[in-house]
Amino acid sequence: VQLVESGGGLAQLGESLRLSCAASGFSFDGNAMIWVRQAPGKEREAISGLGSDGSQNYATFMKGRVTITRDSAKNKVYLQIDNLRPEDTAVYYCAGDTVVLGFSLYLGAWTYWGRGTQVTVSS
């Protein structure tokens, strides 16, 4: 299983970015996945994810600024982040699991992780 994030980069305050998570050996159809970020000096925190039933889940602190979508044909999941702020600067990871039923914010529940993509937001 391999998960690969892309789409990160340098953004200005208020701009948007769309991150991608591409999977091989793992299908986003019928399996849950999650987007997690880790800012410098901070712990990883869950942002959003898709449940095994395809339900969209959002962390409260990001709700309204992020949209998660899935392209089943390409086996990719996207995370659109709008109105970027400097505090969004972090490495963004996607993770998936075949055992999680529904969805879980518990990071220890996720087996497969990508290497992350850096998002840097300047003011």
Side-chain angles (χ1 to χ4, degrees):
V1 174
Q2 189 175 26
L3 300 179
V4 180
E5 303 90 341
S6 61
L10 179 64
Q12 300 294 318
L13 176 70
E15 291 184 340
S16 299
L17 280 178
R18 189 177 79 156
L19 308 182
S20 300
C21 176
S24 57
F26 178 86
S27 175
F28 290 121
D29 282 348
N31 292 310
M33 69 80 60
I34 191 170
W35 280 99
V36 173
R37 73 182 184 185
Q38 187 167 23
K42 296 188 177 181
E43 295 186 352
R44 291 188 180 189
E45 58 182 0
I47 302 167
S48 179
L50 294 175
S52 56
D53 58 355
S55 59
Q56 297 169 326
N57 299 271
Y58 298 99
T60 302
F61 70 93
M62 291 297 284
K63 219 166 187 178
R65 293 204 296 125
V66 293
T67 305
I68 189 168
T69 55
R70 180 180 67 192
D71 186 332
S72 296
K74 295 182 178 180
N75 201 29
K76 287 185 176 182
V77 174
Y78 303 98
L79 184 73
Q80 170 100 6
I81 310 173
D82 298 319
N83 192 21
L84 283 160
R85 306 164 182 171
E87 53 264 38
D88 293 322
T89 295
V91 179
Y92 286 70
Y93 302 88
C94 63
D97 198 273
T98 58
V99 178
V100 171
L101 294 178
F103 186 71
S104 175
L105 289 174
Y106 172 53
L107 301 187
W110 303 91
T111 302
Y112 308 111
W113 289 81
R115 291 175 177 253
T117 184
Q118 174 72 47
V119 171
T120 303
V121 183
S122 66
S123 55

